[in-house]
Amino acid sequence: MARTKTLQNVLSTKHQYFKFDGIWEETLGKPSTNGIWLIYGKEKQGKTSFALKLAEYLSSFKKVLYVSAEEGTELEFKENIARMNLDVTNKNLHFLDYLPIGEIAKEEKTLPKEEIEEEEITLVKKLDNRKSEDIIFLDNMTIYDDELSKSKLKELMRTYPKKLFIIMSHEERNIPVPAIARTASKLAKRIMRVQGLTVEISGRGSAGGTLIIDEEKAMIYHGSEILESNQK
């Protein structure tokens, strides 16, 4: 049975949070290190570019796993990494192609060695490893539409309460798609909408504001007002 908490209990509870600085703190604040964040936007607007820079920054705090389920790690993805000038010596930022979510075990089970070797590698199995990454990017929900239901997303949060899941999705008519992305938007502590190489940030306790992924190209898309509003 869950224990009730007094107001003093709630206020005295210590939480883990990211000690961001600079523009990251100005827009994202100092969010807790667990839960769900959402990145969404139309195709070819800069979602992957922004996510890669965010992943690199987050990896200065904790280990990050970027699952490139839609693009894989083929030529276009490699070009994106090169374009964003990521540090190739970074040991805390890891990448994988599509990885099935897998079933969350209800109880610990021991399998013969030969069966373990034949088991399919899944996200859940990786998360069960005590050395697994702390932050997981899932790029994107179109690929996981058939296997990540509303209940399963909540189950992931309950089973791995210390992990941060950063969900990525497309958008249609200004709304994240598919349905699981809309569920993520309701649960998300930070929501980042990417449009024309700029990122509008909102969320619980977030300072909010605009991040510019590529200033020159953003000006072509939005005009000079995007830079003026960002300077206010």
Side-chain angles (χ1 to χ4, degrees):
M1 181 182 295
R3 293 179 58 187
T4 58
K5 296 181 179 180
T6 66
L7 180 58
Q8 187 175 9
N9 293 150
V10 173
L11 294 177
S12 63
T13 301
K14 296 186 182 296
H15 299 280
Q16 296 293 316
Y17 64 92
F18 289 111
K19 297 178 182 178
F20 290 167
D21 57 14
I23 189 65
W24 296 104
E25 181 185 2
E26 289 174 21
T27 53
L28 287 166
K30 291 188 176 180
S32 51
T33 59
N34 65 338
I36 288 179
W37 294 4
L38 174 69
I39 299 172
Y40 77 102
K42 295 178 182 177
E43 292 185 46
K44 312 302 180 186
Q45 297 291 301
K47 289 193 301 297
T48 300
S49 295
F50 168 67
L52 287 170
K53 288 305 289 184
L54 176 60
E56 181 180 52
Y57 184 66
L58 289 172
S59 71
S60 65
F61 299 92
K62 291 177 173 288
K63 290 192 293 185
V64 176
L65 174 64
Y66 192 111
V67 182
S68 181
E70 184 176 46
E71 287 187 276
T73 51
E74 299 301 322
L75 177 62
E76 291 76 12
F77 190 76
K78 288 169 61 178
E79 289 175 342
N80 226 330
I81 288 176
R83 189 160 49 246
M84 299 314 293
N85 196 29
L86 302 190
D87 180 5
V88 297
T89 66
N90 190 339
K91 301 297 184 182
N92 269 353
L93 180 53
H94 309 146
F95 297 92
L96 277 176
D97 293 338
Y98 165 76
L99 193 65
I101 301 296
E103 294 301 319
I104 299 174
K106 302 300 180 184
E107 57 184 36
E108 195 74 24
K109 63 178 181 177
T110 304
L111 295 176
K113 183 178 179 181
E114 59 273 13
E115 289 188 39
I116 293 175
E117 291 174 348
E118 293 176 1
E119 273 194 304
E120 180 182 40
I121 297 175
T122 65
L123 177 63
V124 166
K125 285 186 174 61
K126 279 193 64 64
L127 296 179
D128 284 339
N129 187 317
R130 63 184 180 84
K131 294 183 179 180
S132 66
E133 292 83 358
D134 307 288
I135 302 166
I136 299 91
F137 282 73
L138 294 177
D139 183 8
N140 67 55
M141 287 303 99
T142 300
I143 305 301
Y144 288 109
D145 192 24
D146 292 334
E147 57 181 300
L148 191 55
S149 63
K150 177 179 179 179
S151 60
K152 194 162 190 176
L153 181 59
K154 291 181 177 179
E155 192 177 6
L156 275 175
M157 293 176 66
R158 286 193 297 268
T159 307
Y160 307 102
K162 294 183 179 180
K163 303 290 187 184
L164 173 61
F165 297 94
I166 300 181
I167 305 297
M168 297 177 62
S169 78
H170 295 303
E171 81 168 56
E172 291 178 3
R173 299 178 182 177
N174 302 331
I175 297 174
V177 292
I180 186 59
R182 293 192 289 278
T183 297
S185 71
K186 295 175 183 177
L187 299 172
K189 296 178 180 179
R190 294 293 182 272
I191 298 175
M192 293 154 271
R193 185 185 179 214
V194 181
Q195 184 179 28
L197 290 167
T198 65
V199 188
E200 291 294 332
I201 299 174
S202 60
R204 306 168 193 171
S206 168
T210 303
L211 275 171
I212 298 175
I213 304 168
D214 185 309
E215 187 170 305
E216 183 177 345
K217 292 179 181 177
M219 283 189 66
I220 294 172
Y221 186 95
H222 298 280
S224 60
E225 70 273 7
I226 189 65
L227 297 182
E228 292 170 2
S229 64
N230 200 49
Q231 292 167 357
K232 291 180 181 179

